[in-house]
């Protein structure tokens, strides 16, 4: 990129703040504002005032806590799980590719459909083609693994602008740990960066004469190498914070909208409980999974539960935008592969060996 193009790019990014129009979000994706407000504390109190709801809520919670305590106390040795863990560890070199796909695909889709990260932060693609080009360009570069680290920096800057435009961008908070992890790892293999680096590093190649820039990748790989072991930590904390945020703000913090979702999709026909208990249970479950990921407790299992929740959402809410969840799917898949990494309860409890995913594969 020449310096003459830098001011144009800067102006293009700044222009996003003036042309993107905020709207509102995950429950917001599938419902319109009801105009009603329900106090969250009063909602919980009223829901649990029903004896049946109280018994079901407290009973299911107690079963979960007791089950977790028994598992941690006796730690059953299941050969199948040990084989699965060992096999998953062999896939760690695919993590950069996995993250590139889970970030690049939704960005391309966002550019074509006209929104910034979260479907509720919208713009008119026809009236603002430059915004579309920037989003699609970053997305395709990530998919191809071309200038991966540069694209993650641009993507992060774009996300900050989207957040300045509308707090609804917090609904796509998972992009932040995704960008950070991908910056640390680089493009990995297969990627255009990896191919071009080999060509640029070969004496006598024609490409070496015109592109010395890719040699910077070698230096960046060395600089970021000590931090690769923390990639699982970044991903699980980021995904966990997203889950807690969505569970608390989207479910428990706005019960009126959540009750509208239950009514719209007749979810009580799927699980025949009180609508209030539906909302309360969903919010607490999301928050609990998020907290488990943040502290790194049974990380692979927690990430697997998160993956199932995303899947159930897509089938249960047929008009929920699929692309808005691709990044979440990718991060959950990466955590199932990598496990908790350092700075986790799993490591303290001996649930994962000390060397498990401590060094995510090099990017070249």
């Amino acid at each position: 990129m020449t310096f003459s193009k830098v001011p144009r790019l800067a102006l293009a990014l700044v222009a996003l703040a003036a042309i993107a129009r905020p709207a509102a979000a995950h429950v917001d994706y599938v419902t319109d504002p009801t105009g009603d407000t329900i106090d969250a504390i009063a909602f919980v109190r009223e829901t649990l005032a029903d004896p049946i709801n109280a018994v079901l809520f407290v009973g299911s919670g107690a079963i979960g806590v007791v089950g977790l305590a028994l598992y941690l106390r006796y730690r059953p040795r299941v050969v199948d799980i040990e084989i699965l863990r060992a096999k998953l560890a062999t896939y760690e070199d695919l993590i950069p590719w996995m993250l590139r796909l889970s970030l690049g695909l939704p960005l391309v889709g966002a550019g074509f459909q006209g929104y910034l990260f979260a479907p509720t932060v919208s713009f008119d693609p026809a009236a603002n083609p430059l915004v579309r080009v920037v989003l699609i360009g970053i997305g395709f570069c990530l998919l191809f693994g071309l200038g991966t680290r540069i694209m993650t920096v641009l993507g992060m800057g774009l996300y900050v602008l989207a957040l300045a435009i509308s707090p609804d961008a917090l609904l796509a908070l998972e992009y932040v740990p995704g960008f950070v992890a991908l910056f640390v790892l680089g493009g990995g293999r297969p990627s255009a960066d990896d191919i071009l680096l080999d060509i640029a590093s070969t004496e006598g190649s024609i490409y070496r004469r015109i592109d010395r820039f890719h040699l910077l990748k070698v230096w960046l790989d060395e600089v970021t190498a000590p931090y690769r072991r923390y990639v699982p930590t970044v991903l699980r904390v980021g995904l966990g914070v997203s889950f807690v945020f969505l569970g608390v703000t989207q479910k428990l913090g706005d019960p009126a909208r959540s009750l509208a979702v239950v009514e719209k999709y007749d979810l009580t026909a799927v699980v025949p409980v009180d609508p209030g208990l539906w909302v309360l249970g969903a919010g607490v479950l999301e928050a609990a999974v998020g907290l488990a990921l943040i502290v790194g407790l049974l990380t692979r299992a927690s990430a697997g539960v998160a993956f199932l929740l995303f899947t159930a959402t897509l089938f249960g809410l047929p008009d929920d935008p699929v692309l808005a969840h691709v990044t979440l799917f990718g991060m959950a898949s990466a955590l199932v592969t990598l496990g908790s990494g350092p700075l986790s309860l799993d490591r303290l409890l001996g649930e994962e060996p000390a060397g498990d995913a401590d060094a995510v594969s090099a990017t070249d």
Side-chain angles (χ1 to χ4, degrees):
M1 178 184 297
T2 63
F3 285 107
S4 63
K5 294 180 180 177
V6 173
R8 297 181 202 171
L9 180 58
L11 288 173
L13 294 178
V14 170
L16 293 176
I19 56 183
R21 298 192 308 272
H26 286 282
V27 299
D28 295 19
Y29 293 171
V30 294
T31 60
D32 295 320
T34 60
D36 299 327
T37 57
I38 300 176
D39 180 76
I41 296 178
F43 166 75
V44 173
R45 187 187 303 119
E46 182 180 341
T47 299
L48 295 182
D50 186 317
I52 295 178
N53 288 347
V55 169
L56 290 174
F57 182 77
V58 175
S60 59
I63 291 173
V65 171
V66 171
L68 175 62
L70 289 174
Y71 174 83
L72 294 176
R73 171 66 178 81
Y74 294 104
R75 305 285 182 86
R77 183 177 181 274
V78 181
V79 175
D80 307 61
I81 294 178
E82 294 180 359
I83 295 173
L84 176 63
R85 177 184 294 160
K87 187 64 179 178
L88 287 171
T90 66
Y91 297 150
E92 64 180 25
D93 62 310
L94 301 177
I95 297 301
W97 191 19
M98 191 181 299
L99 293 176
R100 282 173 27 224
L101 291 175
S102 62
L103 291 167
L105 284 171
L107 285 176
V108 172
F112 279 109
Q113 294 185 13
Y115 62 85
L116 291 172
F117 298 97
T120 53
V121 185
S122 61
F123 66 92
D124 184 352
N128 306 291
L130 183 59
V131 184
R132 166 183 276 189
V133 170
V134 171
L135 281 167
I136 294 174
I138 293 175
F140 269 121
C141 284
L142 289 177
L143 290 176
F144 290 123
L146 179 62
T148 303
R149 288 190 171 101
I150 295 174
M151 293 302 113
T152 60
V153 172
L154 291 177
M156 184 70 82
L158 194 59
Y159 179 80
V160 171
L161 281 174
L163 194 57
I165 292 167
S166 171
D168 281 352
L170 286 172
L171 295 166
L173 186 62
E174 65 274 7
Y175 277 93
V176 173
F179 284 138
V180 172
L182 195 53
F183 180 85
V184 172
L185 294 176
R189 302 172 54 208
S191 70
D193 286 339
D194 185 59
I195 296 171
L196 293 176
L197 176 61
D198 272 0
I199 300 175
S201 302
T202 303
E203 293 287 347
S205 67
I206 297 174
Y207 185 73
R208 180 184 176 88
R209 302 173 188 171
I210 61 175
D211 181 10
R212 305 288 294 179
F213 182 76
H214 266 83
L215 297 179
L216 176 63
K217 180 178 183 297
V218 177
W219 177 75
L220 287 173
D221 286 344
E222 293 175 355
V223 170
T224 58
Y227 305 103
R228 289 183 192 131
R229 66 192 299 264
Y230 296 107
V231 165
T233 306
V234 170
L235 292 176
R236 65 174 171 77
V237 172
L239 184 60
V241 169
S242 295
F243 251 81
V244 172
F245 177 78
L246 293 174
V248 173
T249 65
Q250 291 282 286
K251 309 298 190 304
L252 303 179
D254 191 2
R257 293 289 290 274
S258 299
L259 288 169
V261 172
V262 174
E263 180 181 359
K264 177 179 179 180
Y265 297 100
D266 195 20
L267 296 181
T268 54
V270 180
V271 178
V273 296
D274 179 75
L277 187 59
W278 238 109
V279 173
L280 180 60
V284 170
L285 178 60
E286 283 191 5
V289 171
L291 289 173
L293 289 170
I294 290 172
V295 301
L297 178 62
L298 302 181
T299 301
R300 284 192 171 99
S302 298
V305 171
F307 195 98
L308 292 175
L309 288 175
F310 301 146
T311 304
T313 298
L314 294 181
F315 281 99
L317 313 180
D319 53 348
D320 201 19
V322 176
L323 281 174
H325 298 81
V326 169
T327 304
L328 293 168
F329 274 111
M331 291 178 63
S333 300
L335 285 173
V336 169
T337 303
L338 293 173
S340 65
L343 306 177
S344 65
L345 283 182
D346 283 341
R347 186 61 51 83
L348 291 176
L349 296 171
E351 186 63 23
E352 289 191 359
D356 193 13
D358 255 4
V360 180
S361 294
T363 59
D364 50 314

